[in-house]
Amino acid sequence: MLNEIREIDRGIDAIERNLERLRMVQQQSLGDPNSSQDSPINRERDRLSEDTMTLYRNFVIRMRTIKSQPESGNPTNASQVGRVDRRLKGAIQQFQTLDSDYRKKLQQQVERELRIVRPDATESEIREAVEDTSNNQVFTQALLQSDRRGQSQRVLQHVTSRHEAIQKIEVQFVELAQLFQDMEALVVQQEPAVTQIEQKGEQVTEDVGKANVEISGAIQKARSRNRKKWWCLLIVLFAVGDAMAQQGVEQVGPKKHDFARTGRMALYGGTVMGPAATIWFRFLQRRVRLPNRNAEIVARVVADQAIFGPTILVAFLTSMSLMEGSDPADKLKKTYKQALLKGWSIWPVVQLVNFKFVPLEHRLLVVNVFALGWNCYLSLLNSSARR
């Protein structure tokens, strides 16, 4: 069906070229001294008109066949069928306009020539002669005048020839109007089916829109759930890290375990480290992008250790001091440099391996595994600064 539509579309291009050529030939015909229907110009005019009418008849029949088929209304074909149908009707209207203009010019020419041979003719006589050359009364009176007899005979022949051209145009007018009505009638017959298809299309569009809204909402909820899941994991990791420091390294025993200290570490992990790490890793993934993969990994590690590492360490020591009621500046002075250098000796290697070999969805897990030991170290460092 689409191949047939494309052929008709190309055929309409041929019609439009014919119409453009016909426009030029009609203009030449108006100025041709030889008004006979057998003149080369008039034969060319008639040939172009007949060829164009043949194309119209052929394409209207083919479009009727296409539009009568059920598959013409499916979404894949409907837009193309509708577009070519509109083009064909537009081409018919172009021919109607072209012939209408030519007919008016022929009638104006006939009227001028009649006034030459009968300057005293009334308006009704002129109009009657223009519309029907079989009534030769206006010429009979001119032929009785010897000084106008030869001129009247020539004008009569000229007017008769022009009138034949007008009659041909009127016949084409009737057929073009019928072709146009046939195409419009087919549209009316198909209107219920087309309306149903359009309604279904609108319903599908509405349903797809609702589905997209629901999917977007589900994605947002999933992302929020994942963020909260990692934040909860960080709470656990910081709490476990502190417990490892107290029981595994300091060996204070269960009875002397500082649960407030463990709580502070867990609170920091869930409220500061979790949101900050989520935002930071998303920033690295979206903004730090280079054509070379290895260069991109190095750039992300450098950014991580030069920006995020020092900043989050300040946030950790300051948060602990505030929750403990001590001076943040004093704790930073005692422990910041030591912790920063220790971090630079561990995390660059971890992140290089992580970015290079670990899939995106598992990178945070790797970081959290190493963070367990790092959190233990931070807990010991923070505790030693208090003492």
Side-chain angles (χ1 to χ4, degrees):
M1 176 172 290
L2 290 179
N3 289 335
E4 177 74 354
I5 285 294
R6 280 191 285 268
E7 288 184 11
I8 296 174
D9 199 28
R10 288 192 292 267
I12 296 173
D13 292 337
I15 287 177
E16 292 177 345
R17 289 192 295 270
N18 277 5
L19 293 179
E20 187 59 34
R21 173 62 183 163
L22 182 59
R23 190 190 315 276
M24 297 171 58
V25 172
Q26 286 176 345
Q27 190 63 35
Q28 293 172 1
S29 173
L30 291 171
D32 187 9
N34 185 0
S35 61
S36 170
Q37 293 301 302
D38 293 328
S39 69
I41 290 295
N42 287 334
R43 286 201 304 269
E44 174 71 4
R45 179 200 63 200
D46 292 344
R47 184 190 65 79
L48 284 170
S49 294
E50 184 55 36
D51 288 349
T52 305
M53 288 300 300
T54 300
L55 290 173
Y56 280 132
R57 298 183 195 107
N58 177 266
F59 293 151
V60 168
I61 292 172
R62 291 165 71 177
M63 283 301 301
R64 285 174 63 87
T65 302
I66 288 172
K67 294 172 72 174
S68 65
Q69 298 175 19
E71 57 266 30
S72 67
N74 69 42
T76 303
N77 299 327
S79 62
Q80 294 299 319
V81 172
R83 181 183 65 82
V84 174
D85 182 67
R86 290 190 295 272
R87 278 200 72 196
L88 182 55
K89 288 191 287 189
I92 292 175
Q93 290 175 325
Q94 287 180 42
F95 200 0
Q96 289 175 320
T97 301
L98 184 63
D99 273 355
S100 177
D101 293 342
Y102 183 51
R103 182 174 182 272
K104 289 179 181 177
K105 291 176 182 177
L106 285 174
Q107 290 178 330
Q108 291 170 358
Q109 195 174 63
V110 169
E111 182 179 346
R112 286 195 300 270
E113 291 171 343
L114 289 175
R115 291 188 183 281
I116 292 174
V117 298
R118 275 293 309 277
D120 59 338
T122 65
E123 288 294 330
S124 61
E125 289 176 328
I126 294 294
R127 185 169 57 254
E128 185 178 358
V130 168
E131 294 175 356
D132 183 9
T133 56
S134 63
N135 184 348
N136 295 329
Q137 182 179 359
V138 67
F139 298 103
T140 302
Q141 294 183 18
L143 288 170
L144 293 176
Q145 303 175 19
S146 59
D147 60 335
R148 293 184 181 272
R149 182 173 301 174
Q151 187 179 21
S152 295
Q153 290 176 337
R154 289 193 300 273
V155 171
L156 177 57
Q157 294 173 354
H158 191 78
V159 169
T160 302
S161 177
R162 296 302 191 202
H163 186 72
E164 290 176 4
I166 291 173
Q167 287 178 322
K168 291 179 181 178
I169 291 173
E170 289 173 347
V171 171
Q172 284 183 178
F173 250 83
V174 172
E175 186 173 1
L176 285 170
Q178 186 60 51
L179 289 172
F180 194 87
Q181 287 177 3
D182 289 345
M183 296 190 69
E184 287 294 315
L186 186 61
V187 171
V188 172
Q189 292 170 10
Q190 289 187 327
E191 187 173 351
V194 172
T195 301
Q196 185 178 9
I197 291 169
E198 289 177 347
Q199 290 174 347
K200 289 183 178 179
E202 291 174 357
Q203 183 64 43
V204 169
T205 301
E206 183 179 352
D207 291 343
V208 170
K210 291 180 179 178
N212 287 335
V213 171
E214 292 179 2
I215 290 172
S216 298
I219 291 173
Q220 292 297 327
K221 290 179 180 178
R223 288 175 177 172
S224 177
R225 184 173 61 251
N226 288 338
R227 285 195 299 268
K228 291 175 182 177
K229 179 181 67 176
W230 289 117
W231 295 354
C232 290
L233 179 60
L234 284 172
I235 291 173
V236 173
L237 289 174
F238 271 86
V240 171
D242 180 72
M244 289 171 57
Q246 291 192 53
Q247 302 301 325
V249 179
E250 298 175 358
Q251 297 182 349
V252 297
K255 292 183 179 181
K256 294 184 179 180
H257 187 91
D258 189 347
F259 288 98
R261 170 180 155 181
T262 302
R264 290 191 294 269
M265 289 289 290
L267 181 62
Y268 167 80
T271 60
V272 179
M273 184 63 182
T278 301
I279 295 171
W280 175 248
F281 282 120
R282 187 185 302 126
F283 171 82
L284 287 180
Q285 184 68 25
R286 293 180 178 178
R287 300 299 183 182
V288 183
R289 307 183 70 88
L290 297 174
N292 184 276
R293 173 63 177 163
N294 292 329
E296 181 180 88
I297 291 172
V298 172
R300 288 178 178 178
V301 172
V302 169
D304 185 62
Q305 296 305 304
I307 300 173
F308 185 71
T311 304
I312 202 66
L313 183 57
V314 170
F316 171 74
L317 295 173
T318 301
S319 299
M320 291 297 104
S321 295
L322 293 175
M323 286 188 284
E324 294 164 356
S326 59
D327 183 11
D330 183 58
K331 181 168 289 192
L332 288 170
K333 183 178 180 181
K334 292 180 179 178
T335 60
Y336 180 74
K337 183 177 180 181
Q338 177 185 352
L340 184 62
L341 294 175
K342 180 67 71 173
W344 282 347
S345 69
I346 298 172
W347 286 111
V349 177
V350 173
Q351 293 291 51
L352 276 172
V353 174
N354 197 22
F355 288 134
K356 178 70 174 179
F357 300 106
V358 180
L360 177 62
E361 61 270 20
H362 300 310
R363 288 175 188 169
L364 191 56
L365 177 62
V366 172
V367 170
N368 288 330
V369 170
F370 280 91
L372 191 61
W374 179 249
N375 294 338
C376 178
Y377 168 76
L378 288 179
S379 179
L380 288 172
L381 183 68
N382 180 65
S383 178
S384 64
R386 292 177 64 189
R387 293 192 295 266

